[in-house]
Amino acid sequence: MGFKHVALIMDGNGRWAKAQNKVRTFGHLQGSEKVREIAIAANDLGIEVLTLYAFSTENWKRPKDEVDYLMALPDVFFKKFLKELMEKNIRIQTIGELEAFPDSTRNVLLRAIEQTSNNTGMILCFAMNYGGQREIFLAAQHYHQAILDGIISKDITLSEFEQFLMTKDYPAVDLCIRTSGEMRLSNFLLWQLAYAELVFEPCAWPDLTADHFKEIVLDAQKRDRRFGGL
Ligand code: FPP
């Protein structure tokens, strides 16, 4: 069966730029162009949700000029590509705590979400100021509050608890791809990756091609997924 939800850790922008004597931010710019190409490829494959790790709760620790650049990137990206995303019927959404972003960044994201909200094709979800542990922690807090408010019972099922996660409207993640050779999850979708297939791809994010991405997805789809059964 075709994968419904694919997650991407877009790693290696900095190293990719350094390898050609460019500043790290040039790697991020190239990385954002790659988002367009891979999103279109995922849409072609009929994937329902593509979730991208665009800014983690830990990325605030980077030098200020790099953080500032990443804050400005959504504006550059949507100015260039929103029209095309509309034509492809792609819908933009986010997970993560947008409140922490400068107003300008948050407004750009909210505008893109709003402008694409009637599109019915693939959801392109940007994880921004997102961390998996924090997501589960917030879900537990909201669950606790819902019990105190008397709107939910203590005896809920796992799938009812999932309604407190930021991905509540999405199908389970089928596949997570991390580029650039690192074999870590780095706090991405910790709950949602419980049964996901994992692919650690050696090439840097800016070097991933649409064809290669499609090949990775189609190959992983052939794997025998038993979800703990036989
Ligand atoms: C990791 O590479 C990448 C990031 C922290 C940022 C990813 C963001 C993009 C690809 C652009 C997102 C686009 C929009 C529109 C928001 P790294 O910098 O850690 O690379 P390195 O490990 O080689 O240093």
Side-chain angles (χ1 to χ4, degrees), residues 149-168:
D149 293 345
I151 35 185
I152 199 159
S153 109
K154 267 186 177 169
D155 310 309
I156 60 168
T157 62
L158 218 62
S159 64
E160 284 167 329
F161 180 73
E162 286 180 329
Q163 293 307 304
F164 292 95
L165 296 175
M166 295 168 179
T167 51
K168 63 183 164 57

Side-chain angles (χ1 to χ4, degrees), residues 144-187:
H144 177 63
Q145 192 58 49
I147 293 172
L148 294 180
D149 293 345
I151 35 185
I152 199 159
S153 109
K154 267 186 177 169
D155 310 309
I156 60 168
T157 62
L158 218 62
S159 64
E160 284 167 329
F161 180 73
E162 286 180 329
Q163 293 307 304
F164 292 95
L165 296 175
M166 295 168 179
T167 51
K168 63 183 164 57
D169 299 322
Y170 303 157
V173 176
D174 299 294
L175 166 67
C176 178
I177 305 168
R178 180 174 189 147
T179 56
S180 205
E182 311 288 354
M183 297 193 199
R184 290 189 288 278
L185 295 180
S186 300
N187 205 12

Side-chain angles (χ1 to χ4, degrees), residues 9-12 177-182 199 201-205 208:
I9 304 178
M10 310 181 287
D11 196 12
I177 305 168
R178 180 174 189 147
T179 56
S180 205
E182 311 288 354
V199 171
E201 164 56 46
C203 85
W205 172 249
L208 187 70

Side-chain angles (χ1 to χ4, degrees), residues 10-15 24 28 31-32 35 53-54 59 62 66 70 73-74 77 126 128 205:
M10 310 181 287
D11 196 12
N13 293 342
R15 277 165 285 170
R24 291 178 53 81
H28 294 315
S32 72
V35 166
Y53 208 5
N59 285 153
R62 294 194 175 201
E66 186 170 340
L70 289 168
L73 207 45
F77 177 83
F126 289 89
M128 299 282 289
W205 172 249

